Amino acid sequence: MAADLQAKYQKLAQEYSKLRAQNQVLKKAVVDEQGHGASLKEELKMKDQSVRKLQQEMDSLTFRNQQLAKRVELLQEELVTTEAKGKKNKQKSADSPSQLNQQRQSVFDEDLQNKIEENERLHKQVQEAQEKHRQIETDLRERLVVLERDTMQHHAVVNDLKQKYLDTTEKLQNDKANLEVKSHSLEREAKECRLRTEECQQQLKSIHADLSSRLDQSTSIIQEKVPFNDTRLAEYNTLDVPVHDRRHQLKARDVNGQALAFLRDLVGALLNLHTYTEQRIQIYPIDSATDTISPLNQKFSEYLHENASYVRPLEEGMLHLFESITEETVTILETTVKLKPFSDIFTSYVCFLKKILPYQLKSLEEECEYSLCTANLQARNMELQSDMQKMTAVFEKLQVYISLLALPSTKPEMLLQTNYSVVFTQLAACLHSLHDVMKDISKHYSQKVSLEHELPTITQKLKTTNDCILSSVVALSNVTGKIGTFFSNNLDFFTAPSVYGSKGGMGIIDPLSAECMLENKKKAAAYIKSLRKSCPGSVPYEQALANRRTLLSSTESREGLSQQVQQSQEKIAKLEQEKEHWMLEAQLAKIKLEKENQRITDLESQLKITLTGQMPSVDSIQENGSIPKIEELQLIEKDSKEPVRSTSLVGMLTTSTINSEIPDEESREQLIKSHYMMRVAELTSQLQLADSKTVHFYAECRALAKRLALAEKSRETLSEEIKAANQNIVRLQDELTTTKRSYEDQLSMMSDHLCSMNETLSKQREEIDSLRMGTKGNTKKNRSR
């Protein structure tokens, strides 16, 4: 089998060698054929060109032959005519010899005229040739001047280049000398560095021997003296109190305070958005004041009316979380127990968003079905539908990540410590995506508002509501952007390992053990505080007397304050009685006003009857309950001829009654009602704008005040930290000279420096060699030039 395989292999190798040789021959043949084909193509092109030239010559010759044939035909016709004339002249020649002389003379005259014309044409050609010669001569002289100018410029450029070349050669020679000096100095430094490395190696050997002896000594002491090692078991490690990191705690409290401020702004913006959306549903597309809205929008408005019960607990949950973080605690995910209630509250708000999402989408579809809705407005509504779905999806993602972060405080086995950084980074990315979604919503809603304002049936109330919704959406976009940047800036702090969680041997930290650790920490802090507390000394006799006098004066002042409180309570009771009295007076005044208005209406009705010429009946007078006097009727007649003007805080209304034109009561009431409705609408719009502005300014002032307080606290803490850091720097500088790491760092730095020095030396040597070669080449070129 092996022999057969070898034989087959040899055959295949022979065939392969044959095919390879044939392939090379075929390649050469293909190349030759390609060259031959190219030459044939060129010959074909030349032949085509020659054929075209011959064809053109043939065409020109045939045209010339046609012209000559026509000329011959004309000459033959002239010859026939001349012969016929000659025969006639011969017959007449005997009779008229004088006519022959005249004909000869006319022929000579024609020849002379032809010669004169030919001479004139030749003179004209000579003059034209002379003018052409003069023009060519002037052109050549101008060209000669231009060429001389160009030669001068070229000579100047050549001289400048020569000067630059000389300057560059001198500069290169100077650089060469400087580089040679630098190379000598670097060689000296390299020798010194070699000596230093030898010394450092000797020091390293001595330090290594010292540290090995110390290690042996410490291991022997540990084996002999340490009876119990509690770092072997994770259960014991979790109960140990970690080192108190005050800076970490202050940073955690500061970060949580900033998050609380941002969350308050977010809560305010969400409340405004849901509230003004509910108000818009009541107005558009059907106004609830004039007609009933659809059942879907009614249900949607009912759900939106409950938004405060879902949004406001977010601020309370974050406030409880902020209050749980103090300087004495250890803030990690396992000890932040208040994060779980905040996660539950956020989950309830996300469920609220899911509940209102289908109603919101159906409400937008209902707006699209409205008769005045244009195509552009429908497109904006569809974009808002997709944006609302994206916003709900992003909030669901946020709820998932927040619930994951709340797991270590309740079920630590569900989330490992190695995955904390991944959750925090995904949460930061989710916050940035929320900011992008809110920007899209603000852009699309602003476009929608601008299109709705162009509609003819738009009302002022809808305009103000749209402006309020747009301002709340813009506020949401700004707040989400601030939260995203804040979380990204503090991402290193969130993902940094803590002192408690990064101890060796720790696996999953149980919340109960973390709680026990916090209790042990409190006990330890209380014990150390009790040790530091000094024993109280005895109070001197004079100071005790002074304290007794202050106590007596405080009891007297207490009695005086109690009397003042009683007097103020009596005053409050009197004021309440007066308030009730004046409320009764106001009710009586309202009743009197109603009676007076009734009397005026009765008088107006009687006035109308008198003006129309009909006297009131006895029954109608008895029903009215009052009989007008003649003087009152006369006064009414006088007043009816003058315009009547009624003024109030709401506005001014002027009416005039004429005998011929008297307005009806219904039309007058309708005018008054419309006037009052317009005024009320204007006042409500102004009130809404004022409320929104006050809420916005109040939130900004509150946030600024909190930021100012936090900045002052951070300034104080930073000043204390700077003092502590200066002390630590001094202490660490003293310890730095006696540690192993300093020597190892120095040695590594020296080795790196030596490597860099060797690299720079090699690079500079290469540069020097290249400059030498360049200068040699330049000198050779100069010599050759």
Side-chain angles (χ1 to χ4, degrees), residues 144-298:
L144 180 62
V145 171
V146 171
L147 291 171
E148 286 178 354
R149 195 183 302 120
D150 292 337
T151 52
M152 293 293 288
Q153 290 178 358
H154 287 306
H155 282 301
V157 170
V158 168
N159 293 327
D160 292 336
L161 291 172
K162 285 181 180 178
Q163 188 65 32
K164 286 181 181 178
Y165 177 73
L166 293 173
D167 293 337
T168 51
T169 52
E170 290 178 359
K171 189 176 181 181
L172 289 170
Q173 287 176 358
N174 293 327
D175 292 338
K176 178 185 174 184
N178 292 326
L179 289 170
E180 286 178 353
V181 173
K182 284 183 181 179
S183 65
H184 291 305
S185 63
L186 290 171
E187 286 175 356
R188 266 191 240 102
E189 288 179 359
K191 289 179 182 178
E192 292 176 358
C193 289
R194 288 194 193 96
L195 295 172
R196 286 179 187 174
T197 50
E198 290 176 357
E199 292 176 358
C200 290
Q201 286 176 357
Q202 292 175 0
Q203 289 178 1
L204 179 63
K205 288 178 182 178
S206 62
I207 289 165
H208 184 68
D210 188 10
L211 289 173
S212 61
S213 63
R214 286 184 183 180
L215 180 63
D216 295 334
Q217 186 178 0
S218 61
T219 52
S220 63
I221 289 167
I222 288 166
Q223 290 175 0
E224 293 174 359
K225 302 293 182 182
V226 177
F228 176 69
N229 186 13
D230 61 346
T231 59
R232 287 182 294 179
L233 297 174
E235 292 85 0
Y236 298 151
N237 279 333
T238 54
L239 294 174
D240 288 340
V241 178
V243 179
H244 181 64
D245 193 355
R246 186 169 176 271
R247 184 179 297 174
H248 177 77
Q249 288 301 118
L250 292 172
K251 177 69 174 176
R253 188 168 175 81
D254 185 17
V255 167
N256 203 348
Q258 293 179 17
L260 178 61
F262 288 133
L263 189 67
R264 280 175 178 165
D265 296 339
L266 181 64
V267 166
L270 288 172
L271 285 171
N272 291 333
L273 177 62
H274 294 317
T275 306
Y276 290 125
T277 305
E278 179 189 359
Q279 188 174 350
R280 176 185 164 83
I281 290 165
Q282 297 291 333
I283 298 168
Y284 186 79
I286 299 170
D287 194 353
S288 61
T290 58
D291 197 357
T292 58
I293 60 176
S294 63
L296 184 136
N297 282 335
Q298 286 180 359

Side-chain angles (χ1 to χ4, degrees), residues 568-585:
S568 62
Q569 287 178 354
E570 290 175 357
K571 287 180 181 179
I572 289 165
K574 289 179 181 179
L575 289 171
E576 287 180 353
Q577 291 175 0
E578 289 180 359
K579 179 184 175 184
E580 291 177 357
H581 171 70
W582 286 114
M583 286 176 71
L584 291 171
E585 290 288 337

Side-chain angles (χ1 to χ4, degrees), residues 634-645:
Q634 289 176 357
L635 289 170
I636 289 164
E637 287 178 358
K638 288 180 181 179
D639 294 333
S640 63
K641 294 177 182 178
E642 295 178 357
V644 179
R645 180 173 295 176

Side-chain angles (χ1 to χ4, degrees), residues 392-418:
T392 308
V394 172
F395 269 104
E396 288 179 4
K397 285 185 181 179
L398 283 174
Q399 182 263 329
V400 170
Y401 293 129
I402 291 170
S403 60
L404 284 174
L405 292 176
L407 283 176
S409 61
T410 55
K411 297 177 182 179
E413 66 276 1
M414 300 296 289
L415 184 65
L416 298 175
Q417 289 185 358
T418 54

